[in-house]
């Protein structure tokens, strides 16, 4: 799990990143990247009911959180919101890592 300092938790922060951030599309998620409001990177995850039931949604959030945690040392200070697409529910951990993280953390 990500530390509190690295999580986006307020709705207004999610809205700011989605409205003002740069959008990067991948087969498994649409990633919104905006300039950070602090000196650390912060990440948020949006997984709608279209993706699957609660078990599937929570599993995807945990997997993405772990991917971000692994790549955190190389991350620049910015705010990132992942909007997960339905195709992600069939992808395994390695596929998510290869499909999303290179575009988010170059």
């Amino acid at each position: 799990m990500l530390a509190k300092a690295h999580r986006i938790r307020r709705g207004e922060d999610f809205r700011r990143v989605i409205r003002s951030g740069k959008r990067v599309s991948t087969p498994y998620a649409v990633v919104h990247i905006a300039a950070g409001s602090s000196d650390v990177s912060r990440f948020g995850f949006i997984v709608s009911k279209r993706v699957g039931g609660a078990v599937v949604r929570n599993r995807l959030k945990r997997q993405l959180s772990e991917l971000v945690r692994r790549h955190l040392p190389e991350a620049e200070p910015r705010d990132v919101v992942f909007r997960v697409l339905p195709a992600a529910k069939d992808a395994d951990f390695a596929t998510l890592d290869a499909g999303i993280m290179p575009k988010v953390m170059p």
Side-chain angles (χ1 to χ4, degrees):
M1 176 176 239
L2 287 172
K4 269 189 181 180
H6 295 288
R7 286 184 274 171
I8 297 175
R9 299 183 316 172
R10 296 180 2 190
E12 64 188 51
D13 292 336
F14 275 95
R15 284 187 290 280
R16 179 186 58 80
V17 173
I18 289 172
R19 288 182 181 148
S20 67
K22 180 181 105 176
R23 185 171 60 199
V24 178
S25 294
T26 71
Y28 306 109
V30 175
V31 184
H32 301 271
I33 304 168
S37 58
S38 65
D39 58 346
V40 297
S41 292
R42 297 186 317 151
F43 301 89
F45 308 100
I46 300 171
V47 187
S48 74
K49 288 184 179 181
R50 284 185 33 213
V51 174
V55 173
V56 172
R57 294 193 315 267
N58 288 328
R59 178 179 51 86
L60 284 168
K61 285 189 270 189
R62 285 192 309 272
Q63 286 177 334
L64 288 172
S65 178
E66 177 61 20
L67 286 175
V68 167
R69 192 188 64 76
R70 288 184 181 189
H71 292 280
L72 199 55
E74 61 209 43
E76 300 172 13
R78 55 190 175 177
D79 291 343
V80 180
V81 173
F82 294 87
R83 191 166 41 93
V84 180
L85 300 174
K89 70 179 172 189
D90 299 324
D92 61 354
F93 188 77
T95 306
L96 287 174
D97 190 16
I100 297 175
M101 297 317 283
K103 292 187 177 184
V104 176
M105 311 239 184

